[in-house]
Amino acid sequence: MIEKSLKIYQSTKNKINALNYAMYMINWDSETEAPVGCLEERSKQLGNITEMIVSLSHKKTYVNALKDIIANKDKVDEITWLSASKEFEELEKELKVPSKELVNYQILLATSGQTWLEAKQTNDYKHFAPKLDKIITWQKKYIKYLETPNCKGYNVLLDTYEKGFTEEDYDKFFDTLRTELVPFVKEILSKKPIDDSFNKEYYPIELQKEFAKYLLKVMCFDKTKNVIKESEHPFTTGYGTTDERITCHYYDHLLTSFIFSIIHEMGHATYEKNCDPKFDDTALSGGSTMAMHESQSRFYENIVGRSYQFWKTHYPILKQTFVEQLKDISLDQFYRAINKVENSLIRTEADELTYPLHIMIRYEIEKKIFNNEVKTKDLPKLWINFIKNI
Amino acid sequence: MIEKSLKIYQSTKNKINALNYAMYMINWDSETEAPVGCLEERSKQLGNITEMIVSLSHKKTYVNALKDIIANKDKVDEITWLSASKEFEELEKELKVPSKELVNYQILLATSGQTWLEAKQTNDYKHFAPKLDKIITWQKKYIKYLETPNCKGYNVLLDTYEKGFTEEDYDKFFDTLRTELVPFVKEILSKKPIDDSFNKEYYPIELQKEFAKYLLKVMCFDKTKNVIKESEHPFTTGYGTTDERITCHYYDHLLTSFIFSIIHEMGHATYEKNCDPKFDDTALSGGSTMAMHESQSRFYENIVGRSYQFWKTHYPILKQTFVEQLKDISLDQFYRAINKVENSLIRTEADELTYPLHIMIRYEIEKKIFNNEVKTKDLPKLWINFIKNI
């Protein structure tokens, strides 16, 4: 019996893996270079692929094979058992949602990215609001499907994102942040600000790319396994341990953006690359949890990337690249500038100290969204209020 | 009955389309940027996807649905009927080959590209020969599966490539070429060669890319539907009428390579882009035949791209881009140089007159391969012989 289950499991899993690999490729293409004109075609194909994944993984024979494997821990190898268990856990949730809705949500997401990009580039929230509203509506429905007596409302989403964490945990965490960190930030902000005006000089993108090459080498970028490209919003993606890709965004009047994006994303990429290859093509691939992932990227960015020792070695090279712009800026000035605390409006450009406040605001906003206390159209107002009254 | 067949046809075709779209994305990635380290993983996934396509399209219910649609021409719309007919025609061939072999061949092709690249870059034919030999062996087996009393040997492959054409046709065609074109080429080659030494000066790639931008605009490159990237060997690929992608290769000591690649590939891309969108997602998508496709690209390259009128307008811009390198080269000199006839060794860099001779040699070599008159290891020797004795 278990042999039959293993056979069904492996042959279905091979197909699901291939389809996930296809999704990975299509999404990477879509974020980094696909022409906007093919959006409709691409969304249709993404919908078709999602439909195939859903129909394969929801098949009774597959679900039963998973159950059989989980029940026979002593008869299967450890990795298979762990992978099947993780898949089943996720599948149990998914099975509560009608397949058609899972597919439509993927199509919605596929078309939303472009709308978000247009809205961002024209600074027009109204353009994106209808899509965002549909996403929120879907998430609220998703909550309804998944709610249990022990896990309700926003907690359903929190648990999906980082298993085991609840509003109660986060409230406690952010309360500490509010009482301890906010006064400290305010104290710093009351002092004479550090001069980082050099950061907003003109930095030709070609030269930024030249320094990026150097920096990537420093961060152990391995061109046999890594790819770097540009995208509106920096991110890391990958498949298994042999293919990790990062993006950054070059701004011609902002020196530090691409630098800390590269260091941050290389944290994610390095984490995935250094996973044990025995997890490749299993549900255990891609790192353990989102929190673990982010701990790696932020360790790289803040503990390594904003340290004096790091720049003692690498600042001379940066100075060589931007001779004119940095000629009056000493290592000490640079070091202080990249650690400057300020009321930034952009999360990904935020310093180490105010970054958590962005997360706190995001959390408070999401709580209000899923407690039905704010309408999608009023989100910008709410956000500004939070920023002002922190 | 026909309604049921149409339903089976459309739902299966949707899946096959999505998988073909995935193949398109994976192959594009693979040719233009995938890190070499993920080759094994990628080949595995390509194999899985091929297996899914084969298993979907070989299903009895699908084949029967196709037959039913073809038999009911009056009950289905024209596009569906034509698409089903074309699919069935190709499927009938495929069904003669064991599925497992179709899948293994795709995996073989997926891993061969990288070996070819390595062999090319190190000028080491022996490195590629074993893979090439496997490909040839597979093609010979494929011939055996498909042979009919009326279509045997190499003709099977010729018919697959361009339907209806046989060795007899090509022999006649190349005989004319041999008797008419070869003496003419020899006559030209006996004269004082045109000086095109400027073409081998140093042309910084950044400046080539700048002119490429201009040239793409001239060729009606539409960034909402087109993408350009670099690859070892220039090619065009795409999906439907909303997504056509081309590549070129920049050589820092060869001015004309990227120029004529771009013009040539934009011929392919423009042809596909201008197809009727009603063919999208059907078997009629992607242009009618290979010959028609190549007629478009070569029309762009030779009739448009090597004409005096074209460069009368655009040569001044090229001169502005490469002030130093082209300062002594007049429009007339440039025009003569890009139409220079010479014994080139590289097909894709060949002039209009000697290009067909490359095709002739390729044809003669393939004939020998599939008549078992040459071993894979001896192909370079054979090629050199042909080149010398033309």
Side-chain angles (χ1 to χ4, degrees), chain B residues 300-348:
Chain B
Y300 267 64
E301 179 186 342
N302 292 321
I303 311 301
V304 178
R306 295 188 201 271
S307 72
Y308 190 84
Q309 287 308 316
F310 185 83
W311 288 105
K312 202 174 149 187
T313 307
H314 306 301
Y315 187 59
I317 314 295
L318 188 66
K319 256 184 111 117
Q320 275 170 32
T321 314
F322 299 107
V323 178
E324 201 47 46
Q325 296 91 330
L326 299 176
K327 71 170 187 285
D328 297 326
I329 312 298
S330 69
L331 168 60
D332 271 59
Q333 281 171 293
F334 180 76
Y335 169 66
R336 285 168 63 80
I338 60 171
N339 284 287
K340 180 184 180 181
V341 175
E342 62 185 331
N343 262 333
S344 63
L345 296 179
I346 315 286
R347 177 181 63 86
T348 52

Side-chain angles (χ1 to χ4, degrees), chain B residues 218-239:
Chain B
V218 170
M219 304 311 294
C220 299
F221 181 92
D222 171 357
K223 69 176 183 170
T224 72
K225 291 181 175 177
N226 293 140
V227 174
I228 178 159
K229 267 168 100 180
E230 292 168 57
S231 67
E232 183 63 29
H233 189 91
F235 68 96
T236 303
T237 184
Y239 191 90

Side-chain angles (χ1 to χ4, degrees), chain A residues 111 116 134 231 339:
Chain A
T111 58
W116 167 80
K134 280 186 188 169
S231 67
N339 284 287

Side-chain angles (χ1 to χ4, degrees), chain A residues 30-240:
Chain A
S30 155
E31 295 289 338
T32 59
E33 72 181 35
V36 59
C38 73
L39 178 66
E40 203 185 317
E41 183 67 57
R42 186 171 72 231
S43 307
K44 185 162 73 181
Q45 302 310 343
L46 275 171
N48 286 340
I49 291 174
T50 307
E51 207 174 320
M52 290 167 85
I53 295 177
V54 167
S55 113
L56 281 166
S57 60
H58 291 199
K59 226 181 204 163
K60 227 177 165 67
T61 48
Y62 183 64
V63 178
N64 287 338
L66 286 175
K67 284 183 187 166
D68 195 30
I69 289 167
I70 295 166
N72 286 281
K73 194 173 177 175
D74 53 326
K75 290 188 191 138
V76 300
D77 70 275
E78 194 192 4
I79 304 287
T80 305
W81 189 84
L82 287 169
S83 180
S85 303
K86 194 170 173 199
E87 277 164 78
F88 186 69
E89 197 180 303
E90 281 159 21
L91 203 52
E92 260 195 313
K93 289 184 185 175
E94 240 188 65
L95 285 165
K96 296 178 181 170
V97 187
S99 314
K100 194 72 206 150
E101 290 185 31
L102 289 169
V103 175
N104 287 341
Y105 184 59
Q106 282 306 315
I107 297 175
L108 172 62
L109 287 185
T111 58
S112 296
Q114 178 59 29
T115 314
W116 167 80
L117 185 67
E118 289 160 7
K120 188 182 174 203
Q121 283 168 350
T122 55
N123 194 19
D124 178 11
Y125 175 75
K126 280 199 187 105
H127 182 59
F128 182 52
K131 284 266 162 80
L132 179 58
D133 195 56
K134 280 186 188 169
I135 293 173
I136 290 172
T137 305
W138 193 90
Q139 292 284 353
K140 285 181 180 174
K141 253 166 72 179
Y142 179 78
I143 289 173
K144 286 290 161 220
Y145 287 127
L146 265 71
E147 268 184 343
T148 62
N150 294 323
C151 187
K152 283 176 174 293
Y154 186 32
N155 272 334
V156 171
L157 300 183
L158 291 174
D159 188 71
T160 304
Y161 203 73
E162 189 71 26
K163 196 183 150 188
F165 279 76
T166 63
E167 275 190 61
E168 205 182 325
D169 300 313
Y170 291 118
D171 281 345
K172 212 181 290 171
F173 176 79
F174 286 118
D175 274 349
T176 314
L177 215 71
R178 202 175 287 108
T179 49
E180 311 260 330
L181 190 62
V182 172
F184 182 49
V185 169
K186 281 186 176 158
E187 192 192 324
I188 293 174
L189 289 177
S190 70
K191 300 197 173 160
K192 186 170 169 275
I194 292 167
D195 179 12
D196 65 346
S197 53
F198 72 86
N199 194 23
K200 274 125 192 161
E201 294 291 318
Y202 171 61
Y203 292 91
I205 286 177
E206 281 319 308
L207 293 182
Q208 293 192 36
K209 287 184 181 171
E210 206 177 281
F211 185 72
K213 268 189 209 161
Y214 169 80
L215 185 60
L216 286 166
K217 211 180 279 176
V218 170
M219 303 312 293
C220 300
F221 182 91
D222 170 358
K223 68 176 184 171
T224 72
K225 292 181 174 176
N226 293 140
V227 174
I228 178 159
K229 267 168 99 180
E230 292 167 56
S231 67
E232 183 63 30
H233 189 91
F235 68 96
T236 302
T237 184
Y239 192 90

Side-chain angles (χ1 to χ4, degrees), chain B residues 122-280:
Chain B
T122 54
N123 195 20
D124 178 11
Y125 175 75
K126 280 200 187 105
H127 182 58
F128 182 52
K131 284 266 162 79
L132 179 58
D133 196 56
K134 279 186 189 170
I135 293 173
I136 290 172
T137 305
W138 193 90
Q139 292 285 353
K140 285 181 179 174
K141 253 165 72 178
Y142 179 78
I143 290 173
K144 286 291 161 219
Y145 287 127
L146 266 71
E147 269 184 342
T148 63
N150 295 323
C151 186
K152 283 177 175 292
Y154 186 32
N155 273 334
V156 171
L157 301 183
L158 291 174
D159 188 71
T160 304
Y161 203 74
E162 189 71 25
K163 195 182 149 188
F165 279 76
T166 63
E167 275 190 62
E168 205 182 326
D169 300 313
Y170 291 119
D171 281 345
K172 213 181 291 170
F173 176 80
F174 285 119
D175 273 350
T176 314
L177 214 72
R178 202 175 286 109
T179 49
E180 311 259 330
L181 190 63
V182 172
F184 182 49
V185 169
K186 282 187 176 159
E187 192 191 325
I188 293 173
L189 289 177
S190 70
K191 300 195 173 163
K192 187 171 168 274
I194 291 167
D195 179 13
D196 65 345
S197 52
F198 72 85
N199 194 23
K200 274 125 193 161
E201 295 290 318
Y202 171 61
Y203 292 91
I205 286 177
E206 282 319 308
L207 293 182
Q208 293 193 36
K209 288 184 181 171
E210 205 177 282
F211 185 72
K213 268 189 210 162
Y214 169 80
L215 185 60
L216 286 166
K217 212 180 278 176
V218 170
M219 304 311 294
C220 299
F221 181 92
D222 171 357
K223 69 176 183 170
T224 72
K225 291 181 175 177
N226 293 140
V227 174
I228 178 159
K229 267 168 100 180
E230 292 168 57
S231 67
E232 183 63 29
H233 189 91
F235 68 96
T236 303
T237 184
Y239 191 90
T241 55
T242 55
D243 187 358
E244 319 304 332
R245 308 184 181 199
I246 69 167
T247 68
C248 67
H249 192 120
Y250 299 99
Y251 296 94
D252 58 9
H253 278 83
L254 195 53
L255 172 61
T256 48
S257 180
F258 83 98
I259 292 177
F260 290 104
S261 285
I262 284 178
I263 300 176
H264 178 100
E265 304 304 339
M266 277 308 291
H268 285 298
T270 305
Y271 175 45
E272 295 219 2
K273 198 176 68 182
N274 288 337
C275 284
D276 195 321
K278 72 182 176 188
F279 298 136
D280 283 1

Side-chain angles (χ1 to χ4, degrees), chain B residues 88-100:
Chain B
F88 186 68
E89 197 180 303
E90 281 159 21
L91 203 52
E92 260 195 313
K93 289 185 185 174
E94 240 187 65
L95 285 165
K96 296 179 181 169
V97 187
S99 314
K100 194 73 205 149

Side-chain angles (χ1 to χ4, degrees), chain B residues 103-117:
Chain B
V103 174
N104 287 342
Y105 184 59
Q106 282 306 316
I107 297 175
L108 172 62
L109 288 185
T111 58
S112 297
Q114 178 58 30
T115 314
W116 167 80
L117 185 68

